[in-house]
PDB file of all heavy atoms in Angstrom:
ATOM      1  N   PRO A 171      13.918  -8.847  17.694  1.00 96.00           N
ATOM      2  CA  PRO A 171      14.031 -10.231  17.301  1.00 96.00           C
ATOM      3  C   PRO A 171      12.730 -10.996  17.667  1.00 96.00           C
ATOM      4  O   PRO A 171      12.241 -10.810  18.729  1.00 96.00           O
ATOM      5  CB  PRO A 171      15.246 -10.698  18.078  1.00 96.00           C
ATOM      6  CG  PRO A 171      15.979  -9.493  18.509  1.00 96.00           C
ATOM      7  CD  PRO A 171      14.997  -8.434  18.620  1.00 96.00           C
ATOM      8  N   ALA A 266     -17.006   3.062  29.904  1.00 96.00           N
ATOM      9  CA  ALA A 266     -16.452   3.007  31.250  1.00 96.00           C
ATOM     10  C   ALA A 266     -16.451   4.428  31.875  1.00 96.00           C
ATOM     11  O   ALA A 266     -16.820   4.611  33.088  1.00 96.00           O
ATOM     12  CB  ALA A 266     -15.074   2.413  31.277  1.00 96.00           C
ATOM     13  N   ILE A 336     -22.193   4.533   7.202  1.00 83.00           N
ATOM     14  CA  ILE A 336     -21.880   5.228   8.523  1.00 83.00           C
ATOM     15  C   ILE A 336     -22.006   6.701   8.258  1.00 83.00           C
ATOM     16  O   ILE A 336     -21.488   7.140   7.261  1.00 83.00           O
ATOM     17  CB  ILE A 336     -20.504   4.813   9.083  1.00 83.00           C
ATOM     18  CG1 ILE A 336     -20.536   4.685  10.622  1.00 83.00           C
ATOM     19  CG2 ILE A 336     -19.464   5.747   8.722  1.00 83.00           C
ATOM     20  CD1 ILE A 336     -19.335   3.931  11.140  1.00 83.00           C
ATOM     21  N   ALA A 536     -34.620 -21.012  53.713  1.00 84.00           N
ATOM     22  CA  ALA A 536     -34.854 -19.690  53.252  1.00 84.00           C
ATOM     23  C   ALA A 536     -34.250 -19.508  51.840  1.00 84.00           C
ATOM     24  O   ALA A 536     -33.263 -20.229  51.545  1.00 84.00           O
ATOM     25  CB  ALA A 536     -34.221 -18.741  54.196  1.00 84.00           C
ATOM     26  N   SER A 570     -38.490  -7.692  43.208  1.00 88.00           N
ATOM     27  CA  SER A 570     -38.670  -9.177  43.029  1.00 88.00           C
ATOM     28  C   SER A 570     -37.395  -9.865  43.525  1.00 88.00           C
ATOM     29  O   SER A 570     -37.369 -11.122  43.574  1.00 88.00           O
ATOM     30  CB  SER A 570     -38.967  -9.491  41.631  1.00 88.00           C
ATOM     31  OG  SER A 570     -38.076  -8.924  40.775  1.00 88.00           O
ATOM     32  N   SER A 584     -29.961   9.525  43.799  1.00 91.00           N
ATOM     33  CA  SER A 584     -30.227  10.392  42.677  1.00 91.00           C
ATOM     34  C   SER A 584     -29.467  11.715  42.969  1.00 91.00           C
ATOM     35  O   SER A 584     -29.325  12.102  44.101  1.00 91.00           O
ATOM     36  CB  SER A 584     -31.696  10.690  42.684  1.00 91.00           C
ATOM     37  OG  SER A 584     -32.003  11.925  41.947  1.00 91.00           O
ATOM     38  N   ILE A 641     -22.939  -4.009  45.185  1.00 95.00           N
ATOM     39  CA  ILE A 641     -23.617  -5.260  45.134  1.00 95.00           C
ATOM     40  C   ILE A 641     -24.670  -5.166  43.937  1.00 95.00           C
ATOM     41  O   ILE A 641     -25.541  -4.388  44.000  1.00 95.00           O
ATOM     42  CB  ILE A 641     -24.360  -5.638  46.346  1.00 95.00           C
ATOM     43  CG1 ILE A 641     -23.321  -5.837  47.529  1.00 95.00           C
ATOM     44  CG2 ILE A 641     -25.134  -6.972  46.177  1.00 95.00           C
ATOM     45  CD1 ILE A 641     -23.923  -6.078  48.862  1.00 95.00           C
ATOM     46  N   GLY A 654     -22.725 -10.541  28.441  1.00 51.00           N
ATOM     47  CA  GLY A 654     -22.054 -11.309  27.384  1.00 51.00           C
ATOM     48  C   GLY A 654     -20.630 -10.799  27.094  1.00 51.00           C
ATOM     49  O   GLY A 654     -19.782 -11.572  26.769  1.00 51.00           O
ATOM     50  N   ALA A 690      -6.972  -3.739  39.104  1.00 25.00           N
ATOM     51  CA  ALA A 690      -6.864  -3.735  40.507  1.00 25.00           C
ATOM     52  C   ALA A 690      -7.868  -4.624  41.224  1.00 25.00           C
ATOM     53  O   ALA A 690      -8.574  -4.259  42.051  1.00 25.00           O
ATOM     54  CB  ALA A 690      -7.048  -2.285  40.959  1.00 25.00           C
TER      55      ALA A 690
END
Side-chain angles (χ1 to χ4, degrees):
I336 215 162
S570 52
S584 159
I641 297 173

